């Protein structure tokens, strides 16, 4: 067999895994990878247009071409890789084959290792290689390395090491209470809308959902699970990722109980995350109009190809009229990276999502007494900052986004909006039968997803990409001007102030 000339796939470089190799990898094991293929034509001329495109026409105009798929399949066949799935709208070709054949096809060396929970994983270091003749066709290859890529942006309220119950949290809220406090449009419940919630672990129990909404006196929303890449709804214990899943469902459902809630479950890998996003966006059966994402990690932890490919998917959402709400992080300016530098979280740093930051809200009766930046410790604070990867988007041109404190790079500013996220003034939820009070910007993303669902119902059409609208009309937001998110060892970060800031964005949004 003639070996094709290969080149580095741009952006595919992967850092070495922190844990040592275990030497336990079975190279005859079959695995799957997702190959992302170029669009038939650019969508750049459509960005910012108020014109919407249907799923069918999107695939026809901007999906992958069958010819490109066949070119990649021909290459894969030379290495005994078979096609498991093709989706032209998602621009995804899923290949299946042994680890040994994948290594040969993509010029990588895979090793066995352990993740932080002690689970067996595959890891690689360095670049992926592809045939030179496919350099303009293949945009990314995902799934060779299956180490975890993201964490849930959730924080439990605890006291003396114990989870705080509802009765012991007089300053906590339910999401329907917050919707009234913040002035979300009344008389609307999201009817006719579908909210997609993306999860990289955990699960929910139908009994908890029934009991929770009964306790609120709210009709239980419709909730269903969708499996992506063999991910499953697998509830276990209250201190697991179940807390994230139930928080997302209960917050979105309390704000928009008339909306259908579809929870997509995928493995916590770059392939799983990407496949879940593309699956939800192009789901022609459930048809989400808003997507809520409460998982992420510092930009420094991602490969360039992953950030680019996910960002291109968010870009497509703007054409399809789908709003993407993303948690901005729960560790302040360090974003859980202990190198003394500031970091911003991805996917919140994508210019095509609504990045949702965190506040601390206190009430005086039915009136807001104060609302400041959430920052309760050196490791617990609302995420925000300036991207080192994505340039400043046009809609933030007049927002006075500073250069990154690391490099002065003029990047995308995070977040765009904010809402209550401090665990001490957090959200009353029910997880695996246990009452909890939970905070984190994880709660803010589904809170705003519920708001968007209400407004979509109110206006009779999907809002889609709302960032240009709110930045052109910053008075739509109630500004938060007090506090900072400094959590690095050097106590560096960003401070709130009049107008946009890298702690709470434009502030609290209630209409647009």
């Amino acid at each position: 067999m003639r070996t094709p000339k290969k080149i580095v796939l741009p952006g595919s470089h992967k850092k070495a895994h922190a844990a040592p190799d275990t030497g336990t990898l079975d190279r005859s094991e079959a695995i799957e990878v997702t190959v992302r293929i170029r669009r038939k034509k650019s969508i750049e001329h459509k960005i910012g247009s108020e014109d919407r495109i249907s799923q069918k026409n999107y695939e026809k105009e901007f999906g992958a071409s069958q010819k490109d798929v066949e070119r990649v399949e021909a290459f894969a066949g030379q290495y005994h890789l078979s096609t498991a799935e093709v989706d032209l709208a998602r621009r995804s070709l899923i290949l299946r084959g042994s680890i040994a054949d994948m290594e040969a096809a993509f010029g990588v060396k895979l090793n066995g290792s352990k993740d932080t929970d002690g689970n067996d994983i595959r890891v690689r270091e360095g670049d992926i290689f592809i045939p030179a003749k496919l350099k303009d066709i293949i945009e990314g290859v995902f799934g060779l390395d299956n180490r975890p890529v993201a964490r849930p942006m959730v924080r439990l309220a605890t006291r003396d090491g114990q989870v705080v119950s509802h009765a012991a949290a007089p300053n906590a809220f339910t999401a329907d209470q917050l919707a009234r406090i913040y002035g979300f449009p009344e008389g609307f419940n999201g009817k006719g809308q579908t909210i997609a919630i993306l999860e990289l672990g955990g699960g929910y129990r139908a009994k908890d959902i029934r009991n929770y909404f009964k306790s609120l006196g709210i009709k239980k929303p419709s909730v269903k699970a969708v499996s992506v890449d063999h991910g499953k709804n697998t509830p276990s214990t209250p201190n697991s990722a179940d807390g994230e899943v139930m928080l997302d469902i209960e917050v979105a459902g309390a704000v928009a109980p008339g909306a259908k809630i579809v929870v997509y479950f995928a493995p916590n890998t770059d392939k799983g995350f990407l496949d879940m996003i593309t699956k939800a966006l192009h789901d022609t059966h459930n048809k989400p109009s808003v997507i809520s994402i409460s998982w992420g990690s510092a930009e420094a932890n991602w490969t360039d190809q992953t950030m680019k490919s996910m960002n291109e998917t968010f870009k497509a959402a703007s054409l399809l009229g789908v709003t993407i709400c993303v948690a901005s992080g729960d560790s302040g300016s360090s974003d859980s990276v202990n190198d003394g530098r500031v970091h911003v979280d991805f996917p919140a740093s994508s210019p095509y999502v609504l990045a949702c930051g965190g506040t601390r809200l206190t009430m005086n009766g039915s009136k807001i007494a104060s609302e400041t930046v959430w920052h309760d410790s050196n490791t617990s604070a609302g995420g925000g900052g300036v991207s080192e990867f994505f340039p400043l988007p046009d809609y933030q041109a007049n927002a006075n986004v500073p250069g990154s404190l690391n490099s002065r790079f003029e990047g995308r500013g995070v977040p765009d909006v904010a809402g209550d996220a401090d665990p001490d003034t957090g959200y009353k939820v029910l997880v695996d039968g246990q009452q909890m009070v939970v905070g984190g910007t994880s709660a803010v993303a589904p809170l705003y997803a519920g708001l968007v669902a209400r407004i979509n119902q109110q206006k009779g059409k999907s809002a889609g990409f709302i960032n240009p609208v709110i930045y052109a009309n910053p008075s739509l937001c109630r500004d938060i001007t007090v506090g900072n998110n400094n959590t690095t060892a050097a106590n560096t970060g960003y401070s709130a102030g009049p107008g946009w800031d890298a702690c709470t964005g434009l502030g609290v949004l209630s209409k647009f």
Side-chain angles (χ1 to χ4, degrees):
M1 179 181 69
R2 183 179 179 183
T3 303
K5 179 184 177 182
K6 293 185 179 179
I7 60 170
V8 169
L9 175 60
S12 64
H13 189 85
K14 191 85 170 179
K15 297 176 183 176
H17 186 51
D21 295 343
T22 59
T24 58
L25 207 60
D26 177 4
R27 284 181 160 71
S28 67
E29 177 189 353
I31 64 172
E32 292 182 350
V33 302
T34 296
V35 180
R36 282 274 277 182
I37 295 173
R38 67 182 175 184
R39 290 189 176 93
K40 292 175 186 172
K41 62 179 182 181
S42 171
I43 64 172
E44 298 302 325
H45 66 289
K46 287 281 190 178
I47 301 300
S49 169
E50 294 187 4
D51 295 337
R52 299 289 169 77
I53 190 168
S54 68
Q55 290 280 2
K56 183 177 179 180
N57 287 337
Y58 178 88
E59 178 179 330
K60 183 178 179 181
E61 289 190 56
F62 304 112
S65 76
Q66 184 61 37
K67 286 186 177 179
D68 281 349
V69 169
E70 290 169 0
R71 291 183 181 108
V72 178
E73 286 180 319
F75 148 69
Q78 294 178 339
Y79 294 91
H80 314 293
L81 306 181
S82 61
T83 298
E85 183 182 351
V86 176
D87 192 313
L88 298 180
R90 295 167 59 200
R91 299 192 291 118
S92 297
L93 167 62
I94 298 180
L95 299 175
R96 182 176 176 82
S98 71
I99 289 175
D101 287 338
M102 290 288 184
E103 289 177 317
F106 295 107
V108 298
K109 175 68 180 302
L110 302 180
N111 293 301
S113 190
K114 299 280 187 180
D115 65 16
T116 53
D117 293 324
N119 300 310
D120 291 324
I121 55 173
R122 296 185 308 275
V123 297
R124 68 175 178 87
E125 180 182 357
D127 299 307
I128 294 171
F129 292 82
I130 59 171
K133 64 182 180 181
L134 298 179
K135 69 180 181 68
D136 295 323
I137 295 176
I138 295 178
E139 293 185 350
V141 177
F142 307 93
L144 293 165
D145 182 307
N146 69 347
R147 73 185 80 173
V149 294
R151 68 183 189 280
M153 301 302 168
V154 65
R155 296 281 174 154
L156 301 184
T158 59
R159 189 172 298 134
D160 298 325
Q162 300 297 314
V163 174
V164 176
S165 69
H166 295 179
N171 297 321
F173 307 92
T174 56
D176 58 312
Q177 290 176 320
L178 281 172
R180 290 190 292 272
I181 291 167
Y182 283 156
F184 288 5
E186 295 185 357
F188 303 96
N189 64 1
K191 184 178 180 180
Q193 305 299 309
T194 298
I195 299 173
I197 295 177
L198 308 192
E199 304 291 358
L200 294 168
Y204 65 85
R205 301 178 194 274
K207 181 179 178 181
D208 281 339
I209 295 173
R210 287 195 304 271
N211 290 340
Y212 182 76
F213 285 97
K214 182 179 180 180
S215 73
L216 298 185
I218 295 175
K219 183 179 179 181
K220 178 182 72 69
S222 167
V223 181
K224 66 179 289 188
V226 172
S227 173
V228 180
D229 294 353
H230 315 292
K232 299 291 184 183
N233 173 27
T234 53
S236 55
T237 59
N239 62 350
S240 70
D242 293 2
E244 178 61 66
V245 177
M246 293 305 295
L247 173 69
D248 292 341
I249 293 171
E250 291 169 354
V251 169
V255 177
K260 295 179 181 178
I261 296 177
V262 181
V263 189
Y264 298 78
F265 290 96
N268 187 3
T269 65
D270 59 359
K271 170 178 160 56
F273 208 163
L274 175 64
D275 288 351
M276 180 170 57
I277 292 168
T278 59
K279 190 81 168 181
L281 180 61
H282 296 287
D283 187 341
T284 57
H285 176 70
N286 294 299
K287 301 176 182 177
S289 57
V290 56
I291 296 175
S292 177
I293 303 174
S294 293
W295 297 70
S297 184
E299 286 182 338
N301 295 332
W302 299 87
T303 61
D304 289 2
Q305 68 164 356
T306 306
M307 288 194 287
K308 286 180 179 178
S309 201
M310 288 171 64
N311 185 60
E312 287 298 315
T313 303
F314 299 139
K315 188 183 294 184
S318 69
L319 295 188
L320 293 165
V322 178
T323 309
I324 315 284
C325 302
V326 183
S328 72
D330 58 4
S331 301
S333 59
S334 69
D335 202 22
S336 293
V337 181
N338 299 317
D339 62 358
R341 294 161 61 86
V342 294
H343 292 271
V344 67
D345 208 79
F346 179 81
S349 64
S350 164
Y352 296 97
V353 307
L354 184 73
C356 302
T359 68
R360 175 183 175 85
L361 174 69
T362 58
M363 301 294 293
N364 182 6
S366 60
K367 302 290 185 181
I368 294 176
S370 67
E371 193 159 15
T372 59
V373 178
W374 163 40
H375 187 176
D376 58 25
S377 75
N378 289 334
T379 58
S380 181
V386 179
S387 174
E388 300 270 359
F389 187 79
F390 297 104
L392 186 75
D394 290 343
Y395 60 79
Q396 286 188 323
N398 298 317
N400 297 315
V401 177
S404 164
L405 294 179
N406 296 329
S407 64
R408 310 311 304 173
F409 178 72
E410 296 182 358
R412 149 73 157 143
V414 177
D416 302 302
V417 294
D420 183 43
D422 190 320
D424 291 336
T425 63
Y427 297 69
K428 299 175 182 178
V429 296
L430 183 66
V431 183
D432 296 319
Q434 182 174 348
Q435 288 187 358
M436 290 182 168
V437 176
V438 178
T441 57
S442 276
V444 188
L447 183 76
Y448 277 110
L451 170 64
V452 173
R454 282 194 187 189
I455 292 178
N456 286 350
Q457 179 192 9
Q458 181 184 37
K459 294 186 175 182
K461 62 178 183 179
S462 60
F465 183 41
I466 68 172
N467 295 31
V469 174
I470 64 174
Y471 278 91
N473 302 277
S475 62
L476 292 171
C477 297
R478 178 169 52 81
D479 201 6
I480 308 298
T481 60
V482 177
N484 66 70
N485 66 359
N486 302 355
T487 58
T488 68
N491 196 34
T492 54
Y494 300 88
S495 296
W500 183 91
D501 57 66
C503 298
T504 58
L506 296 170
V508 178
L509 177 70
S510 60
K511 62 182 179 180
F512 51 85

